[in-house]
């Protein structure tokens, strides 16, 4: 079992930045792909970004490319999501997830999920 705890969410003005963190504990291993998803009110959960367990492969949703960066520190069992140039449409609950795939972008490919952290971007 792997436990994931997100932090770093909050309220920010449009154009601002936030950095989300996801700390993993339990049966942790660097050989998990890590991903971020988000779910806005009344909408389905959607893929945001993923980083492979090797740390070299990344994938981003088109809506966040060039603005968000996913990184990981395997020594700390932590993954980060740096979010810049935030827009009101980025408002959502952000979830961290771990996958046994080399890299994964689909919800069903992820085995463990955090509880989520709210990000609100005001216009």
């Amino acid at each position: 079992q792997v436990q994931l705890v997100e932090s770093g969410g909050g309220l920010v003005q449009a154009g601002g930045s936030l950095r989300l963190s996801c700390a993993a504990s339990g049966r942790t291993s660097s050989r998990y792909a890590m991903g971020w998803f988000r779910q806005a009110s009344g909408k389905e959960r959607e893929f945001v970004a993923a980083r492979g367990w090797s740390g070299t492969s990344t994938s981003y949703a088109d809506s966040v490319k060039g603005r968000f960066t996913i990184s990981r520190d395997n020594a700390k069992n932590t993954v980060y999501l740096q979010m810049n140039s935030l827009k009101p449409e980025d408002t959502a609950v952000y979830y961290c997830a771990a996958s046994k795939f080399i890299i994964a972008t689909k919800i069903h490919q992820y085995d463990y999920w955090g509880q989520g952290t709210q990000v609100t971007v005001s216009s």
Side-chain angles (χ1 to χ4, degrees), residues 50-59 70 102-103:
R51 195 169 188 102
W53 64 261
S54 68
T56 57
S57 298
T58 57
S59 182
I70 184 171
I102 294 175
I103 190 166

Side-chain angles (χ1 to χ4, degrees), residues 33-91:
M34 299 298 295
W36 287 95
F37 289 75
R38 66 187 182 186
Q39 187 166 16
S41 180
K43 295 187 177 181
E44 294 185 351
R45 193 170 299 190
E46 64 176 5
F47 169 74
V48 174
R51 195 169 188 102
W53 64 261
S54 68
T56 57
S57 298
T58 57
S59 182
Y60 294 93
D62 288 343
S63 58
V64 306
K65 277 181 183 177
R67 300 188 299 122
F68 291 10
T69 302
I70 184 171
S71 61
R72 63 189 297 166
D73 185 336
N74 288 340
K76 295 182 178 180
N77 291 322
T78 301
V79 64
Y80 305 95
L81 185 68
Q82 178 66 45
M83 305 185 295
N84 299 327
S85 302
L86 283 161
K87 304 175 181 180
E89 51 263 44
D90 294 318
T91 296

Side-chain angles (χ1 to χ4, degrees), residues 4 6 21-23 34-37 79 94-98 112-114 116:
L4 302 172
E6 303 95 336
S21 299
C22 173
M34 299 298 295
W36 287 95
F37 289 75
V79 64
Y94 283 71
Y95 297 90
C96 170
Y112 304 102
W113 293 83

Side-chain angles (χ1 to χ4, degrees), residues 1-5 23-29 32 77 98-100 110-115:
Q1 285 284 358
V2 175
Q3 292 79 45
L4 302 172
V5 178
S25 62
R27 193 174 179 179
T28 58
S29 167
Y32 283 103
N77 291 322
S99 169
K100 295 176 184 175
Y110 283 83
D111 304 284
Y112 304 102
W113 293 83
Q115 293 299 308

Side-chain angles (χ1 to χ4, degrees), residues 102-119:
I102 294 175
I103 190 166
T105 62
K106 307 296 184 184
I107 291 174
H108 73 268
Q109 294 175 310
Y110 283 83
D111 304 284
Y112 304 102
W113 293 83
Q115 293 299 308
T117 184
Q118 176 71 46
V119 171

